[in-house]
Amino acid sequence: MSTNSEPVNIRVLDREYTVGCTPEQREGLLAAAKLLDNRMREVRGTNKMAAIDRIAVLAALNLAHELQQTKHDTHRERDIAHSLGMLNRRLDDLLDPAAG
C-alpha cells in the first residue's frame, strides 16, 4: 500500500479481503468487488462445492472478454464516425462547390 492508501474490506463469494486504496478509489473498488462477486456467483450457480480458484478464473475470463468486446466496439464506433465525417465533407463539397 502506498502512503496515502487506506485499508478497505471487501467481500467476494462470502470471503473477506482487505485491499489498500486511496479514498478517491474506494467507491470504484467497492463497485468492482460487487461486480466480481455477482459474476462469481453466476459462474458457481448452484454448485456450492466448485473450487473457488476455478470460479474466479472463469469469472475473470468472462469479464476480460466483455472488456475486449467493449474496446472492439469503441474502435468500430470511432471508425464509423470518421467515415461519416469524411462522407459529410464530400457531400458538403458536392452541394457547395464554392466552399471547396
Side-chain angles (χ1 to χ4, degrees):
M1 292 194 302
S2 66
T3 56
N4 56 345
S5 69
E6 50 191 51
V8 177
N9 293 327
I10 60 170
R11 229 169 148 67
V12 177
L13 208 57
D14 302 324
R15 294 180 183 203
E16 193 163 310
Y17 301 90
T18 302
V19 181
C21 71
T22 64
E24 298 82 26
Q25 296 171 325
R26 181 184 174 89
E27 188 176 321
L29 173 65
L30 293 173
K34 184 176 182 179
L35 175 63
L36 180 59
D37 181 64
N38 289 336
R39 292 301 172 89
M40 288 179 70
R41 289 178 188 283
E42 287 174 14
V43 168
R44 181 182 68 180
T46 58
N47 184 2
K48 303 286 186 193
M49 298 304 291
I52 193 164
D53 59 337
R54 178 174 167 73
I55 293 169
V57 168
L58 292 174
L61 283 172
N62 288 336
L63 289 167
H65 180 257
E66 287 179 24
L67 177 61
Q68 290 297 324
Q69 286 299 117
T70 301
K71 286 182 178 180
H72 178 72
D73 292 347
T74 300
H75 289 301
R76 187 179 320 145
E77 289 172 11
R78 279 191 217 139
D79 290 345
I80 290 170
H82 178 71
S83 296
L84 285 174
M86 288 176 50
L87 287 171
N88 279 330
R89 284 190 292 282
R90 287 172 132 180
L91 285 172
D92 288 345
D93 290 346
L94 288 172
L95 295 176
D96 188 10

